[in-house]
Amino acid sequence: MRFNTALLHRNNRADGATGATQTPIYQSGAFAHETAEELEEIFGNHRPGFSYTRINNPTVEAFERRVAALEGGIGAVACASGMAAVSLAALNILKEGDEILSASGIFGGTIGLFHDLRDYGIRTRYVSDGRPESFENQITGRTRLIFIETIGNPKLDVIDIRALCEAAHRHGVPVIVDNTAATPFLVRPIELGADVVVHSVSKYINGSGNSIGGILVDSGNFAWEEERYPSLSQFLKFGKFAYLAKLRNGLFRNIGSCFSPFNAFLCSLGLETLGIRMERLCGNAQKLARQLSENPKLACVNYPGLESSPWHRTAQKQFSGGYGAILTLRTGSKENAFFVIDHLKYACNIANIGDLRTLVIHPASTIYANSSPAEKEDAGVYEDLIRVSVGLEDIEDLMEDFESAVGGL
Ligand SMILES: *Cc1c(COP(=O)(O)O)cnc(C)c1O
């Protein structure tokens, strides 16, 4: 099955009860069972079934199965937001004294989370040059996970996932990859060796910006050593499902960041058109980036699809079908950045990516407002930088709009 066919047909059966082509919205808090024995078996994981929507739900499960299959994982856990997915993916294996090794050019919320984890005795080191060798050199006896994004948002760096995973696995460390910006349309990190993939499905998977959600997908491939991951020891009897079994029976249900069935339904609908949307979005981004890179009023246009990007060659090797739909522009000053944002006709000034419409934001004064100057620099956030999440508008309209706004500088 090729990608667009898989979006519609892989792990997607008509609803058993009615034949409905979409799994209906099972908008119920809990699920009744005939006998006490039956519910006991469900709670004991001895029989499949549903008990309470904080734990699982048929609409949410249908969405999980589809995304797990697309990413090539053995299972998935959908949750309330992308940040819930990132938090759970990491906390499921960490304890006091452990260290995270992370790429530096990542989503501001994730940097914020890693900062918060210091209060729980979990420290994060950052690698700023994106080279697999640099990650390997910074692994210590306490490193328990490596975290990267497939396209750093907003740095737009692209790390060689295969080389990084080989290096990490030599040291017994798993790699968690946030695939929000590239989506499985461009790359499936598990095929390249990643152990766990996370998404903010609020972005390209949902596609229309109509809900917040997250998902994590486990490859089932990582060999969890009892000594280094003691909290997993009682779940090792589940074999390759150890990580998911621990999460489902522990943090996921106990933290309570479950996905709403309604949002799972909307994200399932969005998922079906991911392929055609990404194709057009990446095409628009490539054309807009090329055109703006020739505009003498812009100091720099950063896009992995441009040969001028230091990450172009890795992206070319690693992605198929495009280079994503986010680009950044350096305008020379904060005033210039604000001027361009305020003079765009079509682009919404908004804290999001992956909508159908073009979105822009000035990250330094918004998403990164609470980051230190050093953190901003490491994340590729400058005072004069605008992030553009390219949408589905006709490319001629987008080009005219940006040319006219930039032309006023
Ligand atoms: C938006 C985003 C997140 C957080 O997702 P939410 O759904 O907003 O919680 C995490 N990672 C990346 C790369 C994102 O763009």
Side-chain angles (χ1 to χ4, degrees):
M1 240 189 264
R2 292 165 184 81
F3 190 75
N4 287 300
T5 312
L7 285 175
L8 298 172
H9 297 291
R10 190 176 285 157
N11 267 8
N12 187 31
R13 289 182 293 275
D15 181 56
T18 62
T21 52
Q22 299 289 348
T23 302
I25 305 169
Y26 285 91
Q27 195 68 28
S28 182
F31 299 85
H33 293 274
E34 286 297 322
T35 63
E37 288 77 7
E38 206 174 295
L39 201 52
E40 181 187 34
E41 286 183 6
I42 289 172
F43 267 86
N45 296 320
H46 300 304
R47 128 191 329 239
F50 300 95
S51 57
Y52 192 62
T53 287
R54 173 160 47 74
I55 298 172
N56 59 358
N57 173 285
T59 316
V60 175
E61 192 189 87
F63 177 64
E64 289 169 342
R65 273 201 265 111
R66 297 176 78 174
V67 177
L70 278 177
E71 286 286 9
I74 58 165
V77 176
C79 40
S81 66
M83 283 318 305
V86 172
S87 305
L88 291 171
L91 291 176
N92 196 38
I93 51 176
L94 296 178
K95 59 173 185 348
E96 187 184 3
D98 290 347
E99 279 177 11
I100 299 169
L101 186 57
S102 174
S104 67
I106 59 170
F107 181 67
T110 305
I111 293 180
L113 169 73
F114 291 165
H115 184 89
D116 295 338
L117 292 181
R118 288 204 292 211
D119 289 346
Y120 300 86
I122 296 164
R123 300 192 71 87
T124 303
R125 295 164 182 266
Y126 289 97
V127 175
S128 53
D129 68 9
R131 290 165 60 231
E133 310 84 87
S134 305
F135 279 89
E136 187 164 15
N137 290 338
Q138 286 213 45
I139 292 175
T140 72
R142 290 173 177 270
T143 308
R144 290 293 175 274
L145 74 85
I146 291 180
F147 187 91
I148 64 163
E149 293 178 2
T150 40
I151 303 176
N153 169 15
K155 195 177 188 181
L156 306 183
D157 53 340
V158 180
I159 294 167
D160 184 331
I161 298 173
R162 193 187 293 280
L164 176 68
C165 292
E166 281 169 9
H169 294 162
R170 277 196 288 278
H171 298 268
V173 178
V175 178
I176 299 182
V177 178
D178 181 334
N179 196 21
T180 301
T183 82
F185 175 75
L186 294 186
V187 64
R188 287 156 304 280
I190 288 173
E191 289 173 3
L192 302 175
D195 300 290
V196 174
V197 170
V198 298
H199 280 277
S200 165
V201 302
S202 326
K203 316 291 171 55
Y204 295 99
I205 289 183
N206 174 283
S208 311
N210 62 39
S211 45
I212 299 293
I215 196 163
L216 68 87
V217 182
D218 183 23
S219 70
N221 293 332
F222 193 75
W224 304 101
E225 270 175 43
E226 224 168 323
E227 208 177 293
R228 292 157 65 84
Y229 301 94
S231 66
L232 273 144
S233 62
Q234 72 179 105
F235 297 93
L236 295 178
K237 62 177 185 246
F238 294 104
K240 61 184 184 157
F241 289 96
Y243 177 92
L244 287 173
K246 173 170 188 285
L247 185 59
R248 280 218 176 269
N249 289 293
L251 274 183
F252 170 66
R253 65 169 66 174
N254 297 335
I255 283 187
S257 52
C258 57
F259 201 23
S260 95
F262 185 70
N263 288 349
F265 180 82
L266 292 174
C267 292
S268 288
L269 288 187
L271 186 66
E272 300 195 333
T273 56
L274 178 67
I276 51 167
R277 281 187 286 108
M278 283 303 285
E279 201 178 314
R280 176 64 73 89
L281 291 171
C282 292
N284 275 359
Q286 182 78 44
K287 288 178 193 146
L288 188 62
R290 180 154 316 283
Q291 158 136 346
L292 292 176
S293 69
E294 283 157 16
N295 190 314
K297 290 196 168 163
L298 291 173
C300 174
V301 176
N302 186 16
Y303 179 64
L306 294 177
E307 269 136 45
S308 56
S309 160
W311 312 100
H312 180 65
R313 283 179 53 199
T314 309
Q316 197 170 32
K317 182 175 79 172
Q318 194 153 278
F319 297 159
S320 62
Y323 295 91
I326 305 171
L327 46 114
T328 59
L329 315 173
R330 293 195 64 180
T331 54
S333 68
K334 179 178 175 183
E335 291 69 33
N336 285 353
F338 277 31
F339 179 91
V340 171
I341 290 175
D342 292 345
H343 285 81
L344 285 165
K345 260 194 310 198
Y346 299 124
C348 305
N349 177 32
I350 199 170
N352 198 8
I353 56 168
D355 201 318
L356 298 174
R357 51 219 108 229
T358 296
L359 317 175
V360 292
I361 195 164
H362 179 250
S365 63
T366 55
I367 311 169
Y368 287 83
N370 296 324
S371 302
S372 68
E375 281 170 340
K376 285 186 195 175
E377 164 118 24
D378 266 356
V381 172
Y382 306 97
E383 283 301 316
D384 66 341
L385 181 127
I386 301 173
R387 182 185 74 189
V388 185
S389 168
V390 179
L392 286 182
E393 296 90 347
D394 288 302
I395 185 61
E396 295 79 5
D397 287 332
L398 284 182
M399 285 181 174
E400 284 165 20
D401 196 17
F402 277 87
E403 284 298 338
S404 134
V406 172
L409 287 179

